[in-house]
């Protein structure tokens, strides 16, 4: 996403745990697009206080933040009742509580500015409760989607000019699922990322990406029997 947004001419504030990769990406982007500004900071989103510090530091660096994308997450969860509570707890904390902290920090900035665009990356797994190792993961992504919709509802209620988008990616082959078996309707990272960025740029309320087939699959998942949904997952 950073590469595509850089190509579109955006200044970028990027943060993650691995600063060596952030540094390499910053050099790459500023070399390719010398007219943009790229700043990076280390952030482990399990450190909630650090989220507020880093977001506010970026706000101080740039003066204004136009968009925040809540994208950090982990894909590891296990069947409920199989003695893997700690794994499931960490997934729940990173994918939901840490995302809540990012939304809090981002919305504080946007409310002060009276402008902004909050984007949360959910998942097609949010559409229904899923079995096996997807149960906790899907639940966190469903919770995140409802969180974003609640924030969007509050913006409508209070008539604030802050946009909120929820993105539901289908199966995209990335580092998080490198060793997974081939998945239904899977796309490569370039195809998936272009679809995500296009939806974000359109400032949609919600989007399943890539739109085909996932917008159709998403509607089907909401109504099909669980036995059929199990086969898709």
């Amino acid at each position: 996403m950073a590469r595509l947004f850089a190509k579109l001419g955006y200044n970028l504030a990027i943060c993650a745990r691995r600063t060596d990769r952030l540094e390499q990406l910053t050099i790459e982007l500023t070399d390719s697009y010398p007219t943009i500004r790229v700043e990076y900071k280390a952030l482990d989103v399990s450190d909630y206080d650090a989220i507020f510090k880093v977001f506010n530091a970026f706000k101080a660096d740039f003066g204004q933040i136009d968009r925040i994308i809540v994208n950090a997450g982990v894909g590891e969860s296990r069947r409920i009742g199989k003695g893997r509570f700690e794994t499931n707890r960490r997934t729940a904390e990173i994918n939901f509580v840490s995302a809540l902290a990012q939304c809090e920090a981002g919305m504080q900035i946007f409310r002060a500015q009276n402008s902004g665009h909050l984007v949360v990356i959910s998942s097609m797994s949010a559409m229904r409760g899923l079995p096996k190792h997807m149960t906790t993961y899907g639940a966190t992504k469903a919770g995140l989607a409802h969180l974003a919709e609640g924030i969007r509802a509050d913006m409508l209620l209070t008539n604030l000019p802050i946009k909120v988008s929820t993105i539901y990616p289908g199966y995209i082959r990335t580092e998080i699922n490198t060793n997974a078996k081939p998945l239904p309707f899977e796309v490569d990272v370039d195809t998936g990322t272009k679809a995500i960025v296009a939806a974000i740029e359109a400032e949609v309320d919600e989007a399943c990406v890539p739109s085909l087939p996932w917008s159709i699959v998403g509607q089907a998942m909401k109504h099909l029997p669980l036995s059929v949904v199990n086969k898709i997952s």
Side-chain angles (χ1 to χ4, degrees), residues 39-147:
E39 301 288 344
Y40 73 87
K41 300 183 189 297
L43 177 60
D44 181 341
V45 295
S46 66
D47 183 344
Y48 306 137
D49 290 339
I51 291 171
F52 290 85
K53 291 177 182 177
V54 167
F55 280 32
N56 289 329
F58 277 137
K59 171 65 166 63
D61 287 342
F62 286 92
Q64 178 163 314
I65 302 293
D66 298 313
R67 175 181 288 152
I68 291 172
I69 302 175
V70 179
N71 187 51
V74 293
E76 186 177 13
S77 62
R78 292 292 181 267
R79 275 179 159 150
I80 302 298
K82 288 287 187 175
R84 299 299 297 274
F85 170 70
E86 289 303 321
T87 298
N88 289 326
R89 179 177 66 84
R90 174 169 170 75
T91 297
E93 289 176 350
I94 295 295
N95 288 5
F96 183 75
V97 182
S98 293
L100 169 62
Q102 292 168 77
C103 290
E104 285 274 8
M107 287 301 297
Q108 284 183 12
I109 292 170
F110 291 158
R111 285 177 182 274
Q113 293 177 167
N114 201 39
S115 67
H117 182 197
L118 178 69
V119 180
V120 303
I121 306 298
S122 181
S123 167
M124 289 300 301
S125 66
M127 299 297 173
R128 290 290 290 276
L130 298 179
K132 300 179 182 179
H133 64 285
M134 293 294 290
T135 302
T136 299
Y137 177 84
T140 66
K141 291 299 186 177
L144 179 57
H146 278 265
L147 175 66

Side-chain angles (χ1 to χ4, degrees), residues 121-124 167-178 180 183-197 209-210 214:
I121 306 298
S122 181
S123 167
M124 289 300 301
I167 309 299
Y168 301 91
Y171 292 122
I172 301 172
R173 183 60 60 167
T174 65
E175 287 184 23
I176 203 170
N177 56 20
T178 299
L183 300 164
F185 313 118
E186 179 182 280
V187 297
D188 60 59
V189 68
D190 289 337
T191 301
T193 304
K194 287 177 181 177
I196 292 172
V197 168
V209 295
W214 289 109

